[in-house]
Amino acid sequence: MPQKAFNIRRNPKVSMLFSEPTGSGIAQPGAVLIQGDATAEDRIVTDLSSDPDLAALMETVSGRQPAGAFWSTRLGRRIGWPYYIRLLIYVTPRRALYWPTRDFTTTPSELDVSEVRRVG
Amino acid sequence: MWDEAAKWLDKFPEAVLTAIDRDGYPVSYRVPTSAYNKSSGELPVPPGPVDVAEGPAGLLCHSHDEKMWNLQMITVVGALDRRDGAWIFRTESFTPPSKMAVLTFVRNMRRTAQKYLDKRGLMRPQVNWSAIKEIQQRTKG
C-alpha cells in the first residue's frame, strides 16, 4: 500500500523498531531501533528479482512465513493483486540503538550506523 | 470513557509506543499496557531511550498467525506528556478494529493501489510471477 510512501514524501524522518522475534529462530533476542532518513521511489517494482536486496528480503520473508505463498496462487493473485506490486523505500540510518535483552527500561547501547548498512 | 481502548489493550501485554524525539525523528519502544487507566485514558510509560519530546504519540499492538487470518491490529492515538518527572501517554482517540481485520487489509490494499495507479494514468502492471515462484522454491530447501 502506498501510504508509507506518501508519509515519507511528506516527512522523511522515520524509525524502525525490530523487537518481535517470532519466526526469527533467535533463542535470546534483543531489540534494535533504527532512526533515519527515508526516500520512497516513484518507480513501481513488479519483479522482485530485479534488485538483489529486494530478492534477499523476499527470500527471508518467504522462508520465515511460507504461508505467504498464498498471495501468488491463482486465488491469491485475484483477491490480493497489489501484494507483489511495490514501491521501494530506502532508509539511511542516522542512529541505531540496541537492547540486548528486550528490556526497554534499560538504557540501550548505541551502535555504529556503518555496521547496520545491511541487515539480513 | 476509554473502556473500549482498555478492552483491546488488555489483549496485548505490550504495545509499541511511538513518540517524537527532540530532532523530530520518531522513536519507538515497547511499553507494558497493564497500567492503562480506562477512565482517564492514561498510561504511565518508562522514559524513552533518547531525548523524547512532549507531543504527538501513539500505541500500536499487532499480531497475526503465519497465515494472516488471525490478524489483530489496534492503534491508540494520543500524546506524550511530562508530569512531575514522569512520562504519561494520554489517549485522544481510539477506533476499535473491524472484526475481520484481514478482509479490511485486503480491501484497503486493493483500493489504495488502484487509486495510486489511476491517479498516474497507469495500467495495472504485470508481476513477474516466475521470479516469485523461483524464490519460493529456493526457500523450500
Side-chain angles (χ1 to χ4, degrees), chain B residues 1 8 15 17 20 38 40 49-51 72 77 84 91 106 109 124 127 132-133 136 140:
Chain B
M1 181 176 177
W8 280 95
L17 170 70
I20 305 295
K38 66 181 180 184
S40 64
V50 296
D51 206 4
Q72 288 198 313
V77 177
D84 302 324
T91 305
V106 171
M109 174 171 68
R124 191 182 295 181
V127 172
I132 290 167
K133 291 288 182 196
Q136 287 167 346
K140 273 184 184 171

Side-chain angles (χ1 to χ4, degrees), chain B residues 12-34:
Chain B
F12 298 90
E14 291 180 324
V16 173
L17 170 70
T18 299
I20 305 295
D21 74 10
R22 299 278 175 200
D23 298 321
Y25 285 84
V27 53
S28 302
Y29 57 107
R30 286 180 179 259
V31 299
T33 57
S34 54

Side-chain angles (χ1 to χ4, degrees), chain A:
Chain A
M1 285 188 279
Q3 192 57 50
K4 283 194 187 91
F6 293 149
N7 293 345
I8 285 164
R9 289 168 189 166
R10 194 171 57 244
N11 180 355
K13 294 179 177 180
V14 299
S15 71
M16 299 177 292
L17 179 66
F18 299 86
S19 64
E20 173 52 76
T22 304
S24 69
I26 300 172
Q28 294 180 310
V32 174
L33 172 69
I34 307 281
Q35 292 178 300
D37 299 292
T39 57
E41 289 190 345
D42 285 327
R43 181 171 58 108
I44 295 172
V45 174
T46 56
D47 181 355
L48 299 188
S49 66
S50 63
D51 178 290
D53 285 343
L54 186 59
L57 175 64
M58 175 64 191
E59 276 198 34
T60 301
V61 172
S62 178
R64 289 182 185 174
Q65 198 171 0
F70 167 74
W71 298 106
S72 59
T73 62
R74 189 181 293 265
L75 177 63
R77 293 181 198 189
R78 190 171 174 82
I79 65 173
W81 59 266
Y83 189 77
Y84 289 107
I85 299 174
R86 299 285 173 152
L87 299 171
L88 298 190
I89 293 170
Y90 293 92
V91 177
T92 303
R94 177 179 179 274
R95 176 155 55 185
L97 301 176
Y98 171 60
W99 290 267
T101 63
R102 286 181 86 252
D103 178 356
F104 293 90
T105 61
T106 61
T107 303
S109 55
E110 188 151 355
L111 303 176
D112 180 349
V113 290
S114 65
E115 294 179 12
V116 293
R117 294 285 173 203
R118 287 283 182 278
V119 179

